Amino acid sequence: MSQQNYQRIWQTITAIPEGKVATYGQVADLAGLPKRARLVGKALANAPEKLAVPWFRVINAQGRISLPKGSEGFERQRQALQAEGVKVCNGRVKLNIYQWQPELAELLFILKY
DNA sequence: TAAGTGACGGAGG
DNA sequence: GCCTCCGCCACTT
């Protein structure tokens, strides 16, 4: 099923280091699923709690939290990021500072599936 | 098989 | 910076 793609997406997100963030499109690309950013969103929505996927480190290409401002999820994501030292101004983070730039070693780790 | 649906992305106003 | 519109495309119904 598409469960296979979800697995790859979850694994990729798990590789995002603390204090860094990645965009939906970026995660899709790294997971080997180009142009499927929307699928990443679905994968997160269906992510089992027990996998402890750092879903809060995933934001959209504009550096904004993709949840309705003021919602519960929005608040949890904002707090989780702030707790790691990622500044969130008005539901926005500066990608030029916090966006994850995978090292070769990290890419190889992701590609080992 | 067809129509509906996104935790998206990018261009434009 | 905010909002809208449109393209995208696999997944769901």
Side-chain angles (χ1 to χ4, degrees):
Chain A
M1 205 210 263
S2 60
Q3 195 66 22
Q4 195 62 209
N5 290 336
Y6 286 178
Q7 296 272 358
R8 291 164 63 159
I9 291 172
W10 292 331
Q11 181 178 355
T12 300
I13 295 175
T14 301
I16 303 174
E18 235 182 81
K20 290 291 179 182
V21 299
T23 68
Y24 289 90
Q26 183 181 5
V27 171
D29 285 346
L30 292 175
L33 302 166
K35 305 195 173 188
R36 268 175 271 184
R38 310 189 82 128
L39 188 59
V40 175
K42 272 194 148 191
L44 287 181
N46 296 330
E49 285 292 323
K50 75 172 199 119
L51 285 187
V53 176
W55 58 274
F56 52 84
R57 293 183 188 139
V58 183
I59 58 184
N60 68 26
Q62 282 70 55
R64 312 178 74 234
I65 289 177
S66 287
L67 289 171
K69 189 178 176 182
S71 69
E72 182 188 347
F74 177 94
E75 279 308 312
R76 285 201 297 154
Q77 179 162 20
R78 188 179 62 71
Q79 285 179 34
L81 288 175
Q82 301 260 43
E84 296 189 343
V86 176
K87 289 183 182 175
V88 182
C89 306
N90 224 311
R92 241 175 299 130
V93 317
K94 298 178 188 290
L95 284 179
N96 51 58
I97 296 178
Y98 302 106
Q99 182 165 36
W100 178 39
Q101 314 272 323
E103 299 294 323
L104 177 58
E106 295 174 301
L107 291 177
L108 291 176
F109 174 76
I110 295 173
L111 295 174
K112 75 172 169 52
Y113 40 71

